Amino acid sequence: MNGPAELTSNESRMRRSTTAEEIKRLILLRGLHPGDPIPTETELCQELGVSRSSVREAIRTLATLDIVEVRHGTGTVVGQMSLAPLVETLVFRGVLSPGDDLAALRDVVDLRRSLDLALTDDVVAAHSGHVDEEIPRLVDQMLTSAENGKAFLYEDRQFHTRLLAPLRNQLAGQLVAAFWDIHTAVLPRLDLALPADLRQTAKAHSDMYTAARSGDGDAYRKAVVDHYEPLLRMLKSRSEGGHG
């Protein structure tokens, strides 16, 4: 049977959750957008019929999710709704994964590849016959870095960002960027080196853009597979070595 302390704790969590849901509903009903101010603490207490402490706990919860942003001195506004909390949570999960510590990273890489493959038609349609002068420059920098055995994380992220920028589905681009951030954050924490054949990865970026510009979906898909193959091979080798 639950004791008084546990019941109090559960009730507190329920009040916080309910108040947070009500604040989210209020944001939607009023059609508020990122940066718009939300009602003051006093107004929320009166409108929702809850205590000041419940409002404060709910605001703290929503702030950690980037749904609201507390600006000291100016009040609380609707947050940017970024995927940063997702990234932080999955990075933490990746380094604390029980048992096979490479499983979380393999999952992220698989998801990245699946997303890139799923977006093939949209990417090809967006870039077919069009030129983005920045992407070839990024590719050249990646190829040069690969030849010198150096990583090219900044150029890699910029490449994927620009490749997906013309897509109508902005969430797709945000998800790809989020999983990229998770991938690159978890990689060093697991003490993994970058794949030895960096040139294949760099060339795959070049092939992806060339295929997209020429409207060749099949070639684009092949380039996506080539892009992830070195990393997946390294992860498989490391996993088998760890269990051998």
Side-chain angles (χ1 to χ4, degrees), residues 42-212:
T42 300
E43 292 170 339
L44 287 172
C45 289
Q46 294 173 347
E47 183 156 346
L48 302 180
V50 296
S51 67
R52 193 174 294 271
S53 62
S54 293
V55 169
R56 289 176 179 173
E57 290 178 358
I59 290 296
R60 281 196 291 269
T61 298
L62 295 175
T64 62
L65 298 173
D66 203 22
I67 293 175
V68 302
E69 177 186 346
V70 179
R71 295 179 178 175
H72 298 291
T74 60
T76 302
V77 301
V78 179
Q80 296 302 311
M81 312 291 178
S82 75
L83 296 181
L86 170 70
V87 173
E88 289 296 323
T89 299
L90 290 181
V91 167
F92 196 63
R93 174 181 178 271
V95 297
L96 290 183
S97 219
D100 183 359
D101 59 355
L102 300 179
L105 182 55
R106 284 201 305 272
D107 289 347
V108 169
V109 174
D110 281 338
L111 278 172
R112 285 190 62 200
R113 183 175 63 172
S114 297
L115 277 171
D116 281 339
L117 289 171
L119 293 171
T120 294
D121 292 342
D122 292 336
V123 171
V124 169
H127 289 277
S128 181
H130 299 286
V131 178
D132 182 321
E133 296 181 356
E134 179 66 11
I135 291 181
R137 186 184 70 81
L138 292 169
V139 168
D140 286 343
Q141 290 179 335
M142 284 190 277
L143 288 169
T144 299
S145 296
E147 290 292 346
N148 294 319
K150 296 180 179 178
F152 39 81
L153 294 179
Y154 172 79
E155 291 80 9
D156 192 331
R157 194 183 198 284
Q158 289 298 108
F159 172 89
H160 289 282
T161 298
R162 293 193 70 92
L163 194 68
L164 300 179
L167 272 59
R168 293 181 180 179
N169 189 334
Q170 295 184 354
L171 180 59
Q174 293 173 7
L175 280 172
V176 169
F179 283 121
W180 191 97
D181 290 339
I182 296 164
H183 170 176
T184 54
V186 171
L187 197 67
R189 296 191 188 201
L190 294 180
D191 195 28
L192 293 173
L194 289 168
D197 39 4
L198 287 171
R199 197 178 193 294
Q200 176 179 331
T201 303
K203 184 178 182 301
H205 286 86
S206 176
D207 292 343
M208 287 170 66
Y209 182 59
T210 299

